[in-house]
């Protein structure tokens, strides 16, 4: 019974830490770049896009397709960085809990 109570306490602690981590992830911002910095996307570690910056040199009628490609690339770059930041925080949270691998928390 003591093991069960210990597990329940550990689960409650994990839940509390997860809530704190979610709030922290909302504050972490990454920047995705493409075109040598001509297109920039700011995104939180929770994958919320906070801003887009496009160099004026790309705002030409005949550059639409290039701009679209660069925007997709910048979003993908920001997404990769946000995912890495989230994984890093998750690893820090669950690293010392002795959870079995593959538990699906990451």
């Amino acid at each position: 019974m003591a093991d069960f109570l210990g597990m329940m306490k550990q689960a409650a602690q994990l839940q509390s830490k997860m809530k704190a981590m979610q709030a922290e992830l909302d504050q972490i911002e990454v920047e995705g770049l493409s075109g040598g910095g001509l297109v920039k996307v700011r995104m939180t570690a929770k994958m919320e896009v906070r801003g887009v910056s496009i160099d004026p040199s790309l705002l030409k009628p005949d550059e639409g397709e290039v701009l679209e490609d660069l925007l997709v690339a910048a979003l993908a770059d920001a997404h990769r960085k946000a995912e890495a930041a989230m994984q890093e925080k998750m690893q820090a949270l669950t690293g010392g809990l002795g959870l079995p691998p593959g538990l699906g928390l990451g």
Side-chain angles (χ1 to χ4, degrees):
M1 187 66 151
D3 285 344
F4 179 73
L5 292 176
M7 284 177 36
M8 293 300 291
K9 184 177 179 181
Q10 191 176 26
Q13 289 173 343
L14 178 60
Q15 184 177 16
S16 175
K17 288 180 180 181
M18 286 291 286
K19 285 182 182 179
M21 185 189 73
Q22 288 295 324
E24 192 174 336
L25 288 175
D26 204 29
Q27 300 303 311
I28 295 173
E29 282 193 10
V30 298
E31 185 174 68
L33 305 172
S34 67
L38 294 175
V39 176
K40 299 175 186 176
V41 173
R42 286 184 306 112
M43 179 182 288
T44 69
K46 288 175 76 173
M47 312 302 170
E48 178 184 318
V49 176
R50 292 265 173 98
V52 176
S53 173
I54 300 170
D55 189 275
S57 68
L58 295 172
L59 301 177
K60 299 176 185 171
D62 59 335
E63 296 291 326
E65 192 172 320
V66 171
L67 178 56
E68 291 168 359
D69 291 343
L70 290 173
L71 189 53
V72 168
L75 282 164
D77 186 43
H79 190 272
R80 279 190 299 275
K81 291 175 181 176
E83 183 73 26
M86 184 172 54
Q87 290 296 328
E88 183 180 312
K89 289 292 177 187
M90 184 63 76
Q91 183 68 24
L93 176 70
T94 61
L97 294 178
L99 297 173
L103 193 59
L105 292 176

